[in-house]
């Protein structure tokens, strides 16, 4: 297309309100370097390095062989919706019904649909910072306004009901929680989470709890807001098989919410993606109802990797790093390097780390903070060591 024809395309306001995902941009730039034959250590990608467990893969193969390859009900098969509800009830003491569960094409699709059905033009959504990149853009796409809330880095990015309450206005529609958090790895205590949900309930505000990393909680208090049954009236839980069972490419997520919300999400889904892939639904039933040991095994590995990367980062003079309590990200503060070697921001630093040291990280700006970079430690010990060594050398020479 010529420049003239590109300019002639009048895109909608809603598409112009959002930006491409910052994490995807890093992945693309790192790929470009790799294509030039450069050996890049990848701390950018937000996905498990483990393979999907064999029994789950076998269920998908059996589904293909058994010709389970047609459309299913839009919200997923009854078998899958029941499996989602059952798993959540067993693990988190929730009590949802099939009509309150919907399977979607990844957790992101479930989040997108839930926000589209809950947030209207001019509604305010309280979004704790640092936030996962897509929350802000999904809210904006729906016409909502994000009201950002800085969490307390000195207390491991803590978030309390009192902090949130100060931002509530008559326009507040929704509070988004994400514990364990991408990108900080922070985990809200069950007490803090309960207080937020209680406060929201008393004020008639919705809570969306993104629990995509709920099984990757390294404290001894794994917790879902789903256990707070008395507050479920205005609560949406979003979950995903992506991280829990190392299934990012399969695209299977879900939401648990009041039946009216689920049915509105189903309506939207019926006019967009329709059902999640039939074969993946069969694999998901096996993941949710089959042996769960794989989760504990991966969790154990992540804890070792976390300890290793945080120790390595803290050993680099100038880096400060809170101890992440969940997910698979470290979120070090790198502001001590600003003003050195022409680096003025986290974006500058991440750019230089990629181009000069060949280590891919994600700059904090995409997550709403200016002093950090995100490091995904879902990789091997060997890769962690290679990347840490490159960072140590590069930062030491600034
Ligand atoms: C906080 C958070 N929520 C949701 C998602 C979406 O995951 P998926 O769409 O793969 O289920 C991600 C993925 O990185 C995430 O980090």
């Amino acid at each position: 297309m010529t420049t003239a024809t590109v300019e002639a395309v009048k895109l909608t306001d809603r598409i112009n309100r959002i930006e491409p995902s910052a994490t995807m941009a890093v992945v693309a730039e790192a790929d470009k370097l790799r294509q030039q034959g450069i050996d890049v250590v990848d701390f950018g990608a937000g996905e498990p390095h483990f393979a999907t467990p064999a029994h789950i893969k076998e269920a998908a193969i059996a589904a293909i062989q058994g010709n389970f390859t047609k459309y299913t009900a839009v919200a997923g098969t009854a078998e899958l919706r029941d499996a989602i509800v059952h798993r959540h009830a067993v693990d988190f003491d929730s009590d949802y019904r099939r009509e309150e569960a919907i399977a979607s094409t990844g957790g992101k699709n479930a989040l997108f649909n839930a926000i589209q059905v809950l947030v209207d033009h001019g509604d305010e959504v309280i979004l704790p910072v640092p936030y996962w990149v897509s929350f802000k853009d999904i809210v904006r796409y729906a016409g909502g306004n994000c009201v950002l809330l800085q969490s307390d880095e000195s207390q491991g990015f803590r978030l309390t009901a009192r902090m949130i309450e100060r931002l509530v206005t008559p326009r507040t529609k929704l509070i988004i929680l994400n514990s364990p958090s991408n990108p900080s790895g922070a985990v809200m205590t069950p007490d803090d989470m309960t207080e937020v949900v209680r406060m929201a309930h008393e004020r008639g505000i919705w809570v969306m709890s993104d629990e995509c990393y709920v099984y990757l909680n390294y404290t001894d208090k794994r917790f879902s807001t789903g256990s707070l049954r008395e507050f479920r009236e205005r609560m949406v839980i979003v979950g995903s098989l992506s991280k829990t069972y190392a299934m990012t490419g399969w695209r299977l997520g879900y939401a648990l919410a009041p039946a009216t919300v689920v049915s509105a999400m189903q309506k939207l889904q019926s006019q967009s993606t329709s059902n999640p892939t039939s074969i993946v639904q069969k694999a998901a039933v096996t993941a949710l109802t089959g042996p769960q040991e794989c989760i504990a095994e991966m969790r154990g590995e992540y804890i070792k990797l976390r300890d290793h990367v945080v120790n390595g980062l803290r050993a680099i003079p100038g880096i400060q790093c809170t101890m992440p309590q969940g997910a698979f990200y470290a979120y070090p503060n790198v502001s001590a390097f600003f003003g050195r070697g022409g680096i003025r921001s986290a974006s500058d630093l991440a750019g230089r780390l990629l181009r000069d040291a060949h280590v891919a990280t994600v700059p904090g700006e995409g997550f709403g903070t200016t002093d950090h970079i995100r490091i995904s430690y879902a990789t091997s010990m060997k890769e962690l060591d290679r990347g840490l060594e490159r960072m140590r050398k590069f930062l030491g020479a600034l």
Side-chain angles (χ1 to χ4, degrees):
M1 253 200 269
T2 64
T3 317
T5 31
V6 171
E7 276 167 7
V9 178
K10 168 84 177 79
L11 300 174
T12 58
D13 284 345
R14 64 180 173 279
I15 196 66
N16 286 328
R17 279 201 293 271
I18 65 172
E19 292 160 16
S21 155
T23 36
M24 303 278 181
V26 173
V27 172
E29 205 178 334
D31 274 351
K32 228 191 257 170
L33 290 180
R34 267 193 220 101
Q35 277 159 22
Q36 293 164 23
I38 294 169
D39 160 38
V40 176
V41 174
D42 193 358
F43 290 162
E47 62 181 342
H49 58 305
F50 298 108
T52 305
H55 66 287
I56 301 175
K57 293 195 279 197
E58 277 152 22
I61 293 166
I64 296 174
Q65 301 293 13
N67 295 317
F68 193 74
T69 52
K70 311 269 198 249
Y71 292 131
T72 72
V74 168
T77 60
E79 184 191 25
L80 175 56
R81 292 169 86 187
D82 289 349
I84 290 168
V85 162
H86 177 72
R87 180 83 271 142
H88 209 271
V90 169
D91 291 343
F92 300 109
D93 194 33
S94 59
D95 69 342
Y96 288 96
R97 293 173 290 121
R98 183 190 299 166
E99 296 71 32
E100 296 169 308
I102 180 168
S104 301
T105 307
K108 195 185 264 189
N109 185 217
L111 275 166
F112 184 90
N113 291 348
I115 289 174
Q116 298 310 312
V117 308
L118 285 176
V119 175
D120 232 330
H121 282 272
D123 283 346
E124 291 176 3
V125 176
I126 298 181
L127 181 59
V129 178
Y131 47 75
W132 175 54
V133 280
S134 295
F135 292 137
K136 175 175 62 65
D137 293 286
I138 295 176
V139 168
R140 282 191 182 160
Y141 194 74
N145 298 322
C146 290
V147 177
L148 301 180
L149 169 61
Q150 208 63 49
S151 57
D152 187 349
E153 183 175 8
S154 68
Q155 287 198 57
F157 297 101
R158 186 171 176 209
L159 202 65
T160 64
R162 288 190 60 186
M163 290 161 73
I164 294 177
E165 202 167 18
R166 281 186 218 121
L167 298 184
V168 169
T169 76
R171 301 237 55 167
T172 307
K173 182 68 184 278
L174 176 70
I175 298 165
I176 296 182
L177 300 179
N178 173 217
S179 173
S181 151
N182 175 5
S184 70
V187 170
M188 291 181 74
T189 63
D191 283 351
D192 282 346
M193 259 189 145
T194 305
E195 279 314 303
V196 173
V197 172
R198 186 199 313 278
M199 182 274 290
H201 187 261
E202 282 165 3
R203 290 167 165 272
I205 299 168
W206 284 83
V207 172
M208 173 172 299
S209 182
D210 178 337
E211 301 185 357
C212 288
Y213 296 92
V214 76
Y215 290 92
L216 301 182
N217 176 333
Y218 310 135
T219 71
D220 54 3
K221 298 191 188 93
R222 193 169 77 182
F223 183 77
S224 162
T225 56
S227 66
L228 306 171
R229 301 173 178 198
E230 66 274 37
F231 303 133
R232 58 193 285 162
E233 206 179 294
R234 283 199 182 73
M235 191 195 294
V236 179
I237 292 172
V238 172
S240 171
L241 273 60
S242 286
K243 324 285 168 158
T244 313
Y245 300 100
M247 290 178 72
T248 45
W250 298 68
R251 314 306 303 130
L252 203 294
Y254 59 86
L256 297 166
T260 41
V261 171
V262 164
S263 119
M265 289 174 67
Q266 190 172 333
K267 181 164 70 169
L268 179 56
Q269 199 161 291
S270 79
Q271 301 296 8
S272 51
T273 53
S274 291
N275 61 272
T277 307
S278 59
I279 301 151
V280 173
Q281 291 191 54
K282 281 288 185 193
V285 169
T286 296
L288 293 164
T289 58
Q292 301 295 300
E293 286 78 12
C294 53
I295 300 179
E297 282 163 21
M298 290 190 264
R299 180 176 174 276
E301 285 301 311
Y302 286 131
I303 291 174
K304 286 188 213 153
L305 292 164
R306 173 200 62 171
D307 292 347
H308 193 69
V309 79
V310 171
N311 288 337
L313 287 167
R314 286 177 172 172
I316 298 174
I319 287 193
Q320 287 191 342
C321 190
T322 55
M323 181 56 96
Q325 304 293 339
F328 39 65
Y329 309 103
Y331 204 53
N333 187 313
V334 291
S335 56
F337 299 99
F338 299 171
R340 295 195 212 167
I343 288 168
R344 290 176 316 275
S345 64
S347 283
D348 283 351
L349 186 72
R352 291 280 301 278
L353 276 173
L354 182 58
R355 285 187 296 278
D356 299 350
H358 301 150
V359 179
T361 61
V362 185
E365 283 91 339
F367 308 106
T369 70
T370 50
D371 292 346
H372 306 84
I373 56 174
R374 190 193 75 174
I375 292 189
S376 166
Y377 57 81
T379 186
S380 64
M381 283 284 180
K382 196 168 144 233
E383 279 301 279
L384 283 186
D385 280 336
R386 277 182 358 111
L388 285 167
E389 180 54 20
R390 289 181 186 190
M391 287 178 69
R392 196 185 57 73
K393 268 203 191 131
F394 172 77
L395 296 171
L398 279 178

